[in-house]
Amino acid sequence: MTHILLVEDNQSNADLMIRLLETEGYTVKHCTHGLEGVRSVQKDPPALILMDFNLPDVDGRTLILTLKRRTGAAQSIPIIAVTARTGIMEEVIAERFGCDAFVRKPFDPQEFIAVVQQFMKKPAAPNGDSGASVGSSSGLAHPPKV
């Protein structure tokens, strides 16, 4: 099974996202530092990357730009920014740096999973449900406003 790479330095946030993703049947590799995440992508490319912007060793946006400019598998991996940074400009900046979607922390768990499911085939559920999808007029996928 393909996995999701989570690059998040806050352990509480990481624990929550890992629990939500594993409950849905996904396998998650967690890195607390950006450069550790880059090495992980090079060694074992994931199907999806969830990237915090505020990392201790490197700005997440710079890391996203680096990954998107690489050739090979890393260039085509979808990246979802998961950040506490707010505002429409953050979404625009994330899109310019190469993010495929944007999730603001704190987030609603169901909305978070819905965004992930846009990029990952949901593991088959007993009832055959393949998950929902959400979109955005800004070009970035993000949870709908409730």
Side-chain angles (χ1 to χ4, degrees), residues 114-142:
V115 173
V116 168
Q117 288 173 349
Q118 290 180 49
F119 301 95
M120 294 286 291
K121 180 176 175 148
K122 182 177 178 182
N127 66 2
D129 182 18
S130 64
S133 138
V134 232
S136 160
S137 59
S138 72
L140 286 178
H142 57 83

Side-chain angles (χ1 to χ4, degrees), residues 88 91-92 95 99-102 104 135-142:
I88 190 67
E91 278 191 55
V92 171
E95 184 174 22
C99 285
D100 299 284
F102 189 93
R104 284 181 187 85
S136 160
S137 59
S138 72
L140 286 178
H142 57 83

Side-chain angles (χ1 to χ4, degrees), residues 1-2 4 20-27 47-48 109-110 112-133:
M1 180 191 326
T2 56
I4 296 172
L20 291 170
L21 293 165
E22 288 180 346
T23 297
E24 292 296 318
Y26 299 115
T27 301
L48 176 68
Q110 291 177 324
F112 170 73
I113 292 299
V115 173
V116 168
Q117 288 173 349
Q118 290 180 49
F119 301 95
M120 294 286 291
K121 180 176 175 148
K122 182 177 178 182
N127 66 2
D129 182 18
S130 64
S133 138

